[in-house]
Amino acid sequence: MVMTFSVILLGALVFCRPLQKNSFYILHAAIVILSAYYIETHYFCTSVFSPKTLLLFLVFQLVSINIVTIVAYYVDKRAAIKGKWRVPEFDLHTLEFLGGWAGALLAQKMFHHKTRKKSYQSTFIFLIFAELACIFFIIKYLFY
């Protein structure tokens, strides 16, 4: 299980240059891989690319990316208040597209952050629809 998660997340890190600069994605990858290691060593071990392992990866991926997205919004909001270094919008949008849009929506409501900026919101909504379209096509071609 750890091997599967590591291959998927670190493979994305190697082949997608923008992710290499996104420290929040690296935090997300570390959380998912360490969670997989803990589950594997303490509870059960599955084969490398079994459906059960991939389903667990999907669950860990979604939970972790949403938590990391909320943290990224919090860090950006605190930096905006203090006038310090900000999290680039591209990094926030990357986290949203990787499945963290629900966490981003929650963080926008909790921290009242990035809610008035129309260009950000239009990109945010576009990314939600783009992700849903990608999921639709993956499911369509995976099961038919």
Side-chain angles (χ1 to χ4, degrees), residues 25-91:
Y25 178 80
I26 295 169
L27 173 65
H28 157 68
I31 289 171
V32 172
I33 292 170
L34 289 174
S35 300
Y37 175 76
Y38 180 79
I39 296 277
E40 188 172 314
T41 56
H42 289 86
Y43 294 105
F44 61 89
C45 182
T46 61
S47 64
V48 178
F49 285 106
S50 71
K52 188 176 185 179
T53 302
L54 294 177
L55 184 61
L56 275 173
F57 171 75
L58 183 64
V59 169
F60 285 170
Q61 160 73 15
L62 289 176
V63 170
S64 174
I65 199 72
N66 280 293
I67 290 170
V68 169
T69 302
I70 291 170
V71 169
Y73 268 84
Y74 176 77
V75 167
D76 192 42
K77 179 66 175 186
R78 290 293 140 219
I81 291 171
K82 294 180 180 181
K84 294 187 177 183
W85 172 84
R86 302 281 304 271
V87 177
E89 286 185 0
F90 184 80
D91 289 356

Side-chain angles (χ1 to χ4, degrees), residues 103-123:
L105 194 60
L106 179 65
Q108 287 176 11
K109 301 298 181 201
M110 283 176 22
F111 306 131
H112 304 287
H113 190 53
K114 300 282 189 190
T115 55
R116 293 186 186 160
K117 191 172 182 183
K118 298 295 181 194
S119 63
Y120 187 87
Q121 286 298 313
S122 62
T123 305

